[in-house]
């Protein structure tokens, strides 16, 4: 259950990063409101998950999902540059997070 919270928190991190861009420096109301909701949800779920999980692997999964998800979203929906190097780099982030998780957790 704790890992499910981390995964959802990571997806919410993607949401708050995208909304941060869409808010244009907190000058647009609804993206700013959505940013606050996604950020509070993300941090709240991560906090709950850390009651049962080691901080290193949980944080790595959370940030990995957020970073990879935001980059992928940007490429698909926001017109961000798509390149082989960017896709390779996102893949390396994901592989690194998986490797950290597989390296061992006491829970």
């Amino acid at each position: 259950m704790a890992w499910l919270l981390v995964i959802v928190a990571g997806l919410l991190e993607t949401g708050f990063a995208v909304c941060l861009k869409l808010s244009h420096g907190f000058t647009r109301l609804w993206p700013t409101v959505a940013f606050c909701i996604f950020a509070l949800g993300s941090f709240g779920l991560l906090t709950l998950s850390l009651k049962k999980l080691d901080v290193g692997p949980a944080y790595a999964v959370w940030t990995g999902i957020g970073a990879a998800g935001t980059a992928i979203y940007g490429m698909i929906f926001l017109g961000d540059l798509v390149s082989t190097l960017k896709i390779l780099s996102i893949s390396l982030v994901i592989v690194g997070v998986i490797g950290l998780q597989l390296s061992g957790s006491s829970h």
Side-chain angles (χ1 to χ4, degrees):
M1 181 64 171
W3 281 112
L4 178 61
L5 294 178
V6 173
I7 292 168
V8 174
L11 295 172
L12 291 174
E13 184 188 3
T14 297
F16 82 68
V18 169
C19 289
L20 187 60
K21 176 169 178 61
L22 297 176
S23 77
H24 290 273
F26 299 123
T27 61
R28 293 184 174 169
L29 177 63
W30 294 115
T32 300
V33 170
F35 163 81
C36 293
I37 292 168
F38 284 131
L40 287 171
S42 181
F43 286 115
L45 292 177
L46 180 64
T47 299
L48 290 174
S49 72
L50 290 176
K51 290 180 179 182
K52 300 205 180 228
L53 300 174
D54 292 340
V55 69
Y59 185 77
V61 169
W62 179 71
T63 58
I65 292 170
T70 303
I72 292 166
Y73 186 94
M75 288 186 290
I76 294 172
F77 297 107
L78 300 177
D80 290 357
L81 175 68
V82 178
S83 69
T84 303
L85 182 57
K86 186 179 269 188
I87 293 169
L88 176 64
S89 298
I90 292 168
S91 300
L92 289 172
V93 167
I94 294 168
V95 168
V97 166
I98 291 169
L100 183 57
Q101 176 57 27
L102 293 176
S103 71
S105 177
S106 60
H107 302 286

